[in-house]
Amino acid sequence: MMKFRFRRQGTDPQREKIKQELYAFNKTVEHGFPHQPSALAFDPKLQLMAIGTKSGAIKIYGAPGVEFTGLHKETSAVTQIHFLPGQCRLLSLLDDNTIHLWELVAGPPKEVGGAKKEGVVSLKQVDSYSLPGRPGIESCSATRVTVLLLLKSCDLLCIGTEGGGVYFVELPRLSLLGNQTLFQDQITQRLPDEYRCGKSLGPVESLQEHPRQPGKILIGYSRGLVVLWDLSTHQADQLFLGKQQLESLVWERSGSSFVSSHNDGGYSVWAVTGGNPCSHQPVSSTIPYGPFPCKAINKILWRTSQTG
């Protein structure tokens, strides 16, 4: 019996070069729903929808055939997207704790067949921002972003952090207003001793702008405390001493009350009053699938009709 032994030939550089030229894959166009979506936003004025992905891409969709793509230099996941309504601008928050400002920009007009045509519109990153560390705190997790709130005026971005601080960044320049920064210790000084108990308030879980009074925002901390903060006076108008772990906040459209949802599956209604600086108890508290604690209500919305 004859035995044949096949030997693998050495790699031929010329052969590999020809293979790459003949069989290489190159991306020529992108279309359709993106892979691994991680964030979503909608601009009601321009009727645009933006989707962020885990690979750091942003896709913008409009009318049929309107589609734009942007790629962050970093490959971190997009965790939040916020449109600046009607401005062709949007903000993106990445998993690496950086905030980026994007803009739809029209290119220079081109001359085709003697006639000038409008330039191609593209999505471009115009600026980026990262929160500075707080002096005296070594851990960078203290300034890790947990929630973003874009005010209706679109000139100020409120940033809640894991360390309980709230920072204010001017738009569109993305410059920090250092004199407006709110740290936890500024709030704890106003708390009753029996509520303070030497405990941290926890991360900022929710930021909500007052529906009728611009410049006033609700700040909700993980431990349960909610603060109505006035940006113009840099003072707390009212404290709401919640005792259950907070998940979400939402205003009633008149601004006279708000709802807080919690990790025990319940929600509470709080009244906003000018004469009471401290509210110890909500107006009502309900566990809809109770009476025993159950799964947390991570997001709650309050919608009213014309009939109430």
Side-chain angles (χ1 to χ4, degrees), residues 213-278:
Q213 300 180 37
K216 291 189 177 183
I217 59 173
L218 278 180
I219 305 172
Y221 297 92
S222 176
R223 182 180 158 193
L225 177 71
V226 180
V227 179
L228 179 58
W229 188 256
D230 192 330
L231 293 173
S232 60
T233 62
H234 202 59
Q235 295 290 332
D237 284 356
Q238 193 171 352
L239 303 176
F240 306 89
L241 308 181
K243 298 179 181 179
Q244 189 63 39
Q245 182 176 324
L246 182 71
E247 297 289 335
S248 176
L249 294 173
V250 64
W251 281 102
E252 190 271 328
R253 66 178 182 180
S254 68
S256 60
S257 58
F258 68 90
V259 174
S260 60
S261 67
H262 305 277
N263 74 329
D264 64 348
Y267 65 87
S268 301
V269 179
W270 300 82
V272 179
T273 56
N276 186 9
C278 249

Side-chain angles (χ1 to χ4, degrees), residues 9 21 42 186 232:
Q9 296 181 352
E21 291 176 354
F42 180 69
Q186 297 173 250
S232 60

Side-chain angles (χ1 to χ4, degrees), residues 2 17 28 45-46 56-57 63 79 84 93 95 141 167 215 221 230 232 264 271 282 287 289:
M2 297 181 64
K17 182 179 179 181
T28 56
K45 292 186 177 181
L46 298 180
T79 57
L84 279 68
L93 172 65
D95 193 37
S141 64
Y167 298 80
Y221 297 92
D230 192 330
S232 60
D264 64 348
I287 300 181
Y289 301 103

Side-chain angles (χ1 to χ4, degrees), residues 40-59:
L40 176 71
F42 180 69
D43 185 343
K45 292 186 177 181
L46 298 180
Q47 298 290 299
L48 294 175
M49 179 179 68
I51 299 176
T53 70
K54 291 184 177 180
S55 60
I58 290 182
K59 301 275 285 187

Side-chain angles (χ1 to χ4, degrees), residues 4-36:
F4 295 92
R5 180 178 296 176
F6 294 93
R7 294 183 179 179
R8 175 176 286 184
Q9 296 181 352
T11 303
D12 185 359
Q14 187 64 26
R15 181 184 179 87
E16 292 298 319
K17 182 179 179 181
I18 295 175
K19 284 170 62 177
Q20 290 179 5
E21 291 176 354
L22 295 178
Y23 302 108
F25 290 93
N26 294 311
K27 185 187 294 185
T28 56
V29 67
E30 288 186 2
H31 182 69
F33 198 81
H35 180 56
Q36 292 184 319

Side-chain angles (χ1 to χ4, degrees), residues 185 187-201 223 241:
D185 48 12
I187 300 298
T188 53
Q189 292 172 3
R190 297 196 54 183
L191 295 175
D193 293 337
E194 65 273 12
Y195 186 87
R196 193 181 310 175
C197 298
K199 295 180 181 179
S200 168
L201 300 178
R223 182 180 158 193
L241 308 181

